[in-house]
Amino acid sequence: MTERVVLAYSGGLDTSVAIGWIAEETGAEVIAVAVDVGQGGEDLDVIRKRALACGAVEAEVADAKDEFADEYCLPAIKANALYMDRYPLVSALSRPTIVKHLVAAAKKHGATTVAHGCTGKGNDQVRFEAGISSLAPGLKCIAPVRDYAMTRDKAIAFCEEKGLPIATTKKSPYSIDQNVFGRAVETGFLEDIWNGPVEDVYEYTENPATPREADEVIITFKQGVPVAIDGKPVTVLQAIQQLNERAGAQGIGRIDMVEDRLVGIKSREIYEAPGAIALITAHQELENVTVERELARYKRQVEQRWSELVYDGLWFSPLKRALDGFVNEASEHVSGDIRMTLHGGRAVVTGRRSQESLYDFNLATYDTGDTFDQSLSKGFIEIFGMSSKIAAKRDLA
């Protein structure tokens, strides 16, 4: 029986060439799998037909936008997930979504191997292969660019030689990965970290310096889940899409950073994530109102570790699953409304209200009606500072 390889297929030049390239290198039949996580571009049926025309024996396409939003973006929102306190895990979240569909296709078609288009320098190879091995330890993984020296020049020559039905136009100066949660741009002149990004780098966001009217929005959460925008019910996907449009129109969510890749190198990345940044900003503030102090303090440590695990490709790991349980428990009371002003590249919280609020006006006020017993503070300070006071007496002796 002929071996079968499942290929993560985008419909672009590199993965279209990879179909025939893998077949020639391995003698295997190739099954192409394309997953829509809100990246836009061509119709899924067009992509499916192209894969077949390029030599795939089977081609599957999946509209996974809602799945991606509900099962991957939502946990990131609940975890306030920002790698290195800035990056909302745009690409890192989409990889386990795609992995799940690749593994399902491999089982369905009796494939022994899964292939992807990643290079040997990035994080995505790890995210694909660690994810695949967690869901199906018996599957092998290959990467034509990394393992079979499939360079861009060779891919173009292969495409022209075989007469594949895809344009071999000049490659974009940037490497771009995008989905509904955001957009990542790298390479080209951006590799010189002194060079500032130019406006043509951006697609999801308008120039924040352009004068425009501010936009006020109210986001409603129920147990950490965004359920309404300005009082109108939304799915998680719709919340992200609507805020992509509204926050993006105000230039919100642009991130220019040098980040620590898992493979040990530093990389300059430009991100656009207007909806993600708006939602995480609102969610963080609602937690400030509804989550008890010690739980909130500890959750911040969990958030950092959760973000690192997802960035490193360990979505399906035991620790990540255990931390999910903590995050969901911590979200029990995160319900209410956050009002924000979207303007000038910033999402600024201006109002909070919640039936689950821990904010007590009568305890907080300095005016008439104050119920806080200030007479208790002197003794509290004495006891709270006692260990430091005793140590200071010793050290100053």
Side-chain angles (χ1 to χ4, degrees), residues 6 12 52 158 237 240 302 311 337 356:
V6 166
L52 294 170
F158 186 94
L237 176 62
I240 297 168
V302 170
Y311 183 89
D337 300 321
E356 305 278 355

Side-chain angles (χ1 to χ4, degrees), residues 267-293:
S267 173
R268 199 271 187 90
E269 307 283 340
I270 303 292
Y271 297 111
E272 296 179 277
I277 293 300
L279 283 165
I280 290 172
T281 300
H283 183 267
Q284 285 174 321
E285 187 62 20
L286 187 57
E287 284 193 330
N288 288 344
V289 175
T290 59
V291 178
E292 183 271 334
R293 183 188 68 185

Side-chain angles (χ1 to χ4, degrees), residues 60-276:
E60 293 192 3
V61 294
D63 182 347
K65 292 191 293 293
D66 277 299
E67 174 191 346
F68 176 52
D70 292 341
E71 298 179 25
Y72 301 87
C73 300
L74 177 58
I77 294 167
K78 286 183 174 182
N80 300 319
L82 297 170
Y83 179 68
M84 295 177 69
D85 298 321
R86 297 182 69 193
Y87 166 48
L89 299 172
V90 170
S91 299
L93 290 169
S94 72
R95 299 323 184 213
T97 320
I98 297 167
V99 161
K100 210 168 177 181
H101 286 269
L102 294 174
V103 170
K107 291 178 179 176
K108 175 181 173 182
H109 295 284
T112 58
T113 304
V114 175
H116 57 79
C118 305
T119 72
K121 291 179 69 173
N123 302 304
D124 282 335
Q125 58 179 334
V126 183
R127 293 166 183 159
F128 275 113
E129 297 185 28
I132 290 163
S133 64
S134 294
L135 294 182
L139 286 175
K140 294 177 289 186
C141 294
I142 58 172
V145 174
R146 181 192 67 198
D147 302 335
Y148 303 140
M150 196 188 86
T151 63
R152 183 78 179 187
D153 289 345
K154 290 179 182 178
I156 291 173
F158 186 94
C159 181
E160 291 172 348
E161 177 191 339
K162 304 293 184 182
L164 300 182
I166 184 165
T168 58
T169 53
K170 186 179 178 183
K171 189 182 181 185
S172 163
Y174 315 117
S175 173
I176 299 170
D177 180 63
Q178 61 191 41
N179 57 57
V180 74
F181 209 54
R183 185 168 176 268
V185 186
E186 62 179 12
T187 72
F189 79 99
L190 297 171
E191 290 176 346
D192 182 338
I193 60 176
W194 186 250
N195 289 337
V198 293
E199 275 302 306
D200 73 355
V201 166
Y202 300 105
E203 188 175 299
Y204 283 15
T205 56
E206 299 296 327
N207 189 336
T210 302
R212 57 175 64 85
E213 292 295 313
D215 184 5
E216 186 175 88
V217 62
I218 297 175
I219 305 173
T220 302
F221 292 87
K222 185 173 182 180
Q223 295 185 321
V225 182
V227 295
I229 303 289
D230 291 332
K232 296 178 180 177
V234 290
T235 63
V236 178
L237 176 62
Q238 289 167 341
I240 297 168
Q241 290 172 328
Q242 290 181 27
L243 287 166
N244 273 344
E245 186 174 334
R246 291 174 66 174
Q250 298 288 338
I252 292 163
R254 292 186 174 188
I255 302 159
D256 178 355
M257 66 184 287
V258 174
E259 71 186 40
D260 291 319
R261 283 189 178 176
L262 175 60
V263 294
I265 63 176
K266 290 185 181 289
S267 173
R268 199 271 187 90
E269 307 283 340
I270 303 292
Y271 297 111
E272 296 179 277

